[in-house]
Amino acid sequence: AVNLITQKPSDDFGFKQKFTVGNRDYLLSNTSIDTGKHGDFAAKISYHSKEKDGFAKNSVHGNDLGHVESEALRLAVRWTPSDQVTVDYTYDKSERDGNANNSQVVHARPQNPFLGGEIWAQVLAQACPDRLGQLSKGTSPGNTTYSNIDAHSLTVQWDLDNGMTFKSVTGYREWKGGVADTEFGGGFVSSVDIPAVFGYTVPAGTYLAPFQAMRDTEAESFTQELQLQGSLLDDRLDYTV
């Protein structure tokens, strides 16, 4: 098991700022501020932002395919009402938006046109193991992928007189994410109408992709954990219940 512990608010004031730049207009910024301890309270605020252009240009709308931009905010507050009790509250919020990359078919089985008709003959014709300079894709005018997270956590630690520690860990999390346009192998039907499901026919000249997916997902979770920690046998055995 891996136990990741985030840095807690410091008793002293502090400020950190880091910038990273790179190709394709890559810009990363990480900011953190420690308020220092005031009475029984201390807080830490962190902010993250990242943006990077994509690998390919959409010739219809002028935007980049594969473009990614994200923001994240974290607030951590520590309350120490006594030497035995510590209360930590954190709030995390992140938003990530992007535009899907333009995927390329590198191989198709020669027998596929016999099973799938002209659309698969079209896929077979455009399949190439080398990177192509231009590909057809359904127009993607804006961000087509997203992920939004809101999370709260509350940890209460009580150091008991007998050397044991009682801890309560409470968490609540909401997540929403989705993909509006994921496809590959698309192109314009060139010669004949293609029969589709339920008697519908795709006319010649229509843009059609053999694979296309859309997804919207939401998740909500609540967790509660109670722990009792201590040691036995002259500190030779540590336990957690």
Side-chain angles (χ1 to χ4, degrees):
V2 178
N3 187 19
L4 300 178
I5 301 176
T6 56
Q7 190 174 24
K8 306 302 180 185
S10 173
D11 291 344
D12 301 318
F13 174 82
F15 173 79
K16 293 181 180 180
Q17 176 64 58
K18 180 181 179 181
F19 291 106
T20 304
V21 296
N23 63 331
R24 304 206 316 274
D25 291 334
Y26 176 75
L27 176 61
L28 171 68
S29 174
N30 289 320
T31 309
S32 65
I33 301 174
D34 275 291
T35 64
K37 191 171 184 179
H38 299 275
D40 297 334
F41 291 91
K44 184 183 185 72
I45 303 173
S46 303
Y47 175 74
H48 158 93
S49 67
K50 182 175 73 172
E51 187 170 354
K52 191 172 188 177
D53 289 344
F55 290 94
K57 180 71 70 174
N58 186 331
S59 60
V60 176
H61 295 281
N63 58 329
D64 286 334
L65 302 177
H67 171 80
V68 175
E69 54 187 28
S70 64
E71 288 184 295
L73 174 69
R74 185 176 188 271
L75 170 65
V77 179
R78 167 164 283 193
W79 178 39
T80 52
S82 69
D83 294 336
Q84 290 78 32
V85 178
T86 302
V87 180
D88 286 304
Y89 167 78
T90 60
Y91 170 69
D92 292 279
K93 181 178 180 62
S94 66
E95 296 182 353
R96 185 181 187 276
D97 297 290
N99 204 338
N101 280 307
N102 197 8
S103 302
Q104 173 184 324
V105 178
V106 297
H107 173 75
R109 296 178 180 178
Q111 63 269 28
N112 282 0
F114 296 100
L115 303 175
E118 179 178 335
I119 184 63
W120 280 105
Q122 179 175 286
V123 172
L124 183 62
Q126 68 172 260
C128 180
D130 299 323
R131 187 178 187 272
L132 299 175
Q134 182 173 335
L135 283 172
S136 298
K137 181 180 174 65
T139 58
S140 187
N143 292 328
T144 58
T145 65
Y146 72 96
S147 177
N148 299 326
I149 298 175
D150 281 278
H152 303 263
S153 68
L154 180 66
T155 302
V156 180
Q157 180 173 309
W158 180 18
D159 297 325
L160 305 177
D161 294 334
N162 54 7
M164 294 189 298
T165 299
F166 173 79
K167 183 181 291 187
S168 170
V169 182
T170 308
Y172 176 77
R173 178 186 175 96
E174 292 181 350
W175 172 69
K176 295 181 180 179
V179 177
D181 186 13
T182 300
E183 66 166 72
F184 61 82
F188 293 93
V189 180
S190 57
S191 59
V192 298
D193 295 345
I194 297 179
V197 296
F198 306 119
Y200 176 73
T201 300
V202 178
T206 302
Y207 180 86
L208 187 64
F211 176 85
Q212 189 171 26
M214 293 177 286
R215 171 181 58 82
D216 284 292
T217 307
E218 295 185 14
E220 184 177 349
S221 64
F222 174 82
T223 59
Q224 176 62 58
E225 183 178 352
L226 300 177
Q227 298 180 0
L228 187 62
Q229 301 173 338
S231 60
L232 297 171
L233 305 175
D234 297 327
D235 296 334
R236 289 179 294 175
L237 175 65
D238 295 328
Y239 65 87
T240 300
V241 179

